[in-house]
Amino acid sequence: FDDRELNLRGALRTQRLIVGHTFYAIRHFLDREPVYLTMLRDPVARVVSNFRHIQRVTNHPRHLTFRDSTLLEFLNTKEGESISTNMQTFSLAVDEDPRVFCQTHTPENPWDLTPMMFAAARERQSDESLLELAKSRLQNFAFIGTTERFIQSIELLSYTFHWEPSPDVIHYN
């Protein structure tokens, strides 16, 4: 890993909306404090979906390891347990700049950075305190929807921000 892979500030500077699986810590790559919006997902459904994603995507770095595994086998491995921890909680709770983290930790590949940061957070704080931190951060979000009610959440998001409703909302999962 070098700084080019973590130097997102220039790429993000001109963006008005960033969509994707991002973390609260994205703020370290921005010039101003962002307005946060999120879609939360049932944690069990998210783990099952993540497992199926690993099995389906042949170039996923964990595909060969788990392509023939059952969900239970996957969850009973150290790697599976790490991958299936509540990413939503960690995504909201961890607020360390990845560039600073990489000065003292060296991931072998970019896929390892997030689990390493989450593991480090768990060493410093209990799961309960990380959950409380994540919940307190949600208090300051401008919008929170759920994937289980995705269409209704998108409609409410459009209404909340006075955006033109989109007739072609696609929910892949």
Side-chain angles (χ1 to χ4, degrees), residues 79-168:
E79 216 170 9
E81 180 184 344
S82 171
I83 292 168
S84 64
T85 57
N86 192 336
M87 296 281 290
Q88 294 172 123
T89 298
F90 286 108
S91 296
L92 291 164
V94 175
D95 188 24
E96 187 169 357
D97 187 328
R99 296 166 297 190
V100 173
F101 183 83
C102 285
Q103 291 173 0
T104 56
H105 300 78
T106 309
E108 290 182 27
N109 67 63
W111 288 90
D112 293 335
L113 178 60
T114 300
M116 286 177 68
M117 289 183 72
F118 291 172
R122 285 181 97 179
E123 289 173 11
R124 292 188 305 269
Q125 294 177 268
S126 69
D127 287 350
E128 292 80 13
S129 65
L130 289 168
L131 177 60
E132 289 307 313
L133 179 57
K135 288 176 6 182
S136 71
R137 289 211 169 112
L138 284 172
Q139 298 293 321
N140 297 315
F141 274 45
F143 181 83
I144 301 168
T146 65
T147 59
E148 288 77 19
R149 299 191 69 182
F150 188 75
I151 300 298
Q152 295 92 335
S153 293
I154 293 296
E155 290 170 353
L156 182 58
L157 177 65
S158 297
Y159 175 81
T160 301
F161 287 95
H162 308 287
W163 294 342
E164 195 66 35
S166 174
D168 300 322

Side-chain angles (χ1 to χ4, degrees), residues 42-79:
D42 176 270
V44 173
R46 195 206 58 78
V47 168
V48 172
S49 176
N50 194 15
F51 171 67
R52 290 183 179 149
H53 172 77
I54 291 168
Q55 289 190 314
R56 184 178 57 251
V57 177
T58 57
N59 66 342
H60 190 286
R62 310 268 190 299
H63 174 75
L64 292 177
T65 305
F66 296 114
R67 71 175 174 199
D68 298 320
S69 298
T70 66
L71 178 60
L72 185 58
E73 290 167 341
F74 167 73
L75 293 173
N76 283 321
T77 66
K78 182 175 174 72
E79 216 170 9

